[in-house]
Amino acid sequence: MTASFDWTPGARELADLELLLSGAFQPLTGFLSSADAHAVDAHGTLADGTRWPAPVVFTLPDDHPAAPGDRITLRDPEGAALAVLTVVDRRDGFVAGPVEALDAPEHGPFARLRLTPAEVRKELAGRETLAVTMRGALDDLEEIRATAEELGATILLLPLAFGEEGPAVVRAALKARERLPEDTLLAVVPLAPREDPSIDLELREHVAEAYGATEHLAGPAPVRLPGPPHRRGLVVFFTGLSGSGKSTVARGLRDALLERGGRTVTYLDGDVVRHLLSAGLTFSKADRDLNIRRIGFVAAEAARHGGLAICAPIAPYAATREEVRAMVEAVGADFLLVHVATPLEECERRDRKGLYAKARAGLIPEFTGVSDPYEEPDDADLVVDTTSISVERAVQQVLDPLIQGGWVR
């Protein structure tokens, strides 16, 4: 008996899905199996020997019930159905199978330039083509022009637009096209970068060939110089047991920063968020994770343009805290994890809200520290124990690193 599910992949998987559906990842027609992914990592080929440089994989949580034969509707973050994945294999964390398009993806900036390989090949009509893949501005247009003249080739600019830097890469390509021959073509490709430069280059060559390139030139990697810390976005993310003092210290940090001035401060307390942003959520693991993701999303948006966000949820699960760190760093902001490591015994002794007593009596199920686990962070940037220090001293223990790190002046 087959089953059907809905799922929203991550940004990288959605980008790979678009390239699978457009034919830019030919000969691939779906996400790779464990055997193919391991063969690519080991030998640079699929399991059948076909040359392919980088794993193109799709994953689901271990507790997701999808099994071979099931169909998964893949949706974008707004809920639009993009494709159906028919599961043919699931092992080692990878969910493999062909994908079938349902609807064209919604594009943001420069949607008119998101051309498929078939559309570009039709425009090229078999001409010799020099494809230039770009992740940043091009340094030497004269070299590109001279190479194209020597080859008798049409120039095809392929800005690789993925993530926050995508629009800037496309703008650089449009600016370059103005200074290149009139018949220069341009198509935006949402290719996510791979960590290994040689693998990334080989994958770019595959994509360029799919778009009709007879020769490929890789533009230089962009040089990114981060701005000074006091101009960068920052999320200070407190985690700790109920009663640990994290909200008190977080509010104290907010007040201290507002008194100093110089930074826009957004404060997201766990209880306040629960009443507003996450009203209606339960305290199940799934809903707790969703609550933390919502906090992380708002904090990342506040930090995107240089703001400083302070968050103070319990955030008991390491994987979800890591998701928030990734959200923040993806928008170019910094992330500081503060573990308020006040021991459970002290938190329970305080029990200002009477929650521990109710949990011990069985009146509150799935209570962190009593009937549900708290995964202590091993990646905390700062650890504070409020057992025997004043609030002012605890706040100073957090504020000092912000000043020393240059985030606060």
Side-chain angles (χ1 to χ4, degrees):
M1 184 77 177
T2 61
S4 297
F5 304 96
D6 284 1
W7 188 258
T8 300
R12 179 179 292 268
E13 291 172 332
L14 284 171
D16 285 349
L17 173 64
E18 183 174 343
L19 296 174
L20 286 169
L21 296 174
S22 73
F25 274 171
Q26 62 180 11
L28 302 189
T29 57
F31 289 103
L32 299 185
S33 67
S34 169
D36 279 327
H38 290 314
V40 167
D41 276 334
H43 311 295
T45 67
L46 303 176
D48 65 5
T50 302
R51 182 168 159 264
W52 187 258
V56 178
V57 295
F58 174 74
T59 61
L60 288 172
D62 291 339
D63 59 357
H64 193 284
D70 293 342
R71 290 166 60 84
I72 303 173
T73 299
L74 304 178
R75 298 182 178 274
D76 68 14
E78 283 72 45
L82 302 178
V84 170
L85 165 65
T86 301
V87 182
V88 298
D89 184 69
R90 183 175 184 183
R91 67 188 71 188
D92 298 336
F94 301 134
V95 180
V99 290
E100 175 187 352
L102 293 178
D103 200 357
E106 292 287 335
H107 297 306
F110 305 112
R112 67 190 183 281
L113 301 176
R114 297 288 274 264
L115 306 177
T116 67
E119 290 170 329
V120 173
R121 282 178 172 272
K122 181 178 180 181
E123 183 73 18
L124 290 171
R127 285 177 282 170
E128 292 289 311
T129 302
L130 172 64
V132 182
T133 55
M134 304 171 52
R135 291 207 185 278
L138 298 173
D139 291 339
D140 192 349
L141 294 182
E142 287 306 315
E143 178 190 358
I144 295 171
R145 183 184 288 106
T147 302
E149 289 178 358
E150 181 181 340
L151 297 171
T154 297
I155 299 171
L156 169 63
L157 299 180
L158 297 175
L160 306 177
F162 176 79
E164 294 295 314
E165 300 299 321
V169 178
V170 180
R171 288 194 295 270
L174 288 169
K175 189 170 294 186
R177 188 174 65 174
E178 294 175 357
R179 297 168 54 196
L180 291 170
E182 286 187 9
D183 63 349
T184 297
L185 300 179
L186 188 155
V188 176
V189 182
L191 179 65
R194 269 52 183 182
E195 291 183 3
D196 186 319
S198 62
I199 290 176
D200 189 66
L201 175 59
E202 189 173 350
L203 189 58
R204 289 162 73 164
E205 290 175 348
H206 271 271
V207 170
E209 184 178 347
Y211 274 85
T214 48
E215 295 287 340
H216 170 241
L217 179 64
V223 176
R224 292 189 178 92
L225 299 176
H230 69 278
R231 296 189 182 277
R232 295 203 299 268
L234 173 66
V235 173
V236 182
F237 192 94
F238 289 83
T239 175
L241 294 168
S242 178
S244 63
K246 62 186 179 304
S247 293
T248 303
V249 177
R251 285 195 299 271
L253 177 64
R254 174 202 61 188
D255 295 346
L257 291 173
L258 291 175
E259 288 178 9
R260 294 178 69 94
R263 301 259 354 199
T264 301
V265 180
T266 300
Y267 175 60
L268 298 167
D269 177 70
D271 290 339
V272 175
V273 170
R274 273 280 178 183
H275 287 301
L276 299 174
L277 186 64
S278 294
L281 294 185
T282 70
F283 286 89
S284 68
K285 184 179 187 305
D287 278 2
R288 288 184 186 190
D289 285 345
L290 179 56
N291 178 54
I292 300 305
R293 291 189 189 101
R294 288 178 177 177
I295 291 173
F297 174 78
V298 175
E301 288 301 300
R304 181 188 294 271
H305 301 295
L308 191 156
I310 302 170
C311 313
I314 292 175
Y317 307 120
T320 319
R321 293 193 298 260
E322 184 57 35
E323 282 187 50
V324 175
R325 184 188 289 271
M327 283 185 206
V328 172
E329 292 177 349
V331 302
D334 296 327
F335 184 87
L336 190 76
L337 181 64
V338 181
H339 179 203
V340 184
T342 308
L344 174 63
E345 296 76 16
E346 175 64 15
C347 295
E348 195 163 358
R349 186 192 67 77
R350 297 171 180 175
D351 203 12
R352 181 172 60 86
K353 301 176 185 177
L355 299 177
Y356 285 98
K358 291 180 180 179
R360 296 291 184 193
L363 300 177
I364 303 179
E366 299 179 299
F367 187 81
T368 301
V370 176
S371 52
D372 207 61
Y374 176 78
E375 299 174 359
E376 293 200 0
D378 58 12
D379 60 340
D381 302 287
L382 184 63
V383 178
V384 177
D385 183 345
T386 66
T387 302
S388 56
I389 62 174
S390 66
V391 173
E392 292 75 15
R393 178 60 187 146
V395 170
Q396 200 64 44
Q397 286 185 10
V398 182
L399 181 59
D400 283 346
L402 300 188
I403 297 171
Q404 293 161 8
W407 289 290
V408 176
R409 300 172 74 182

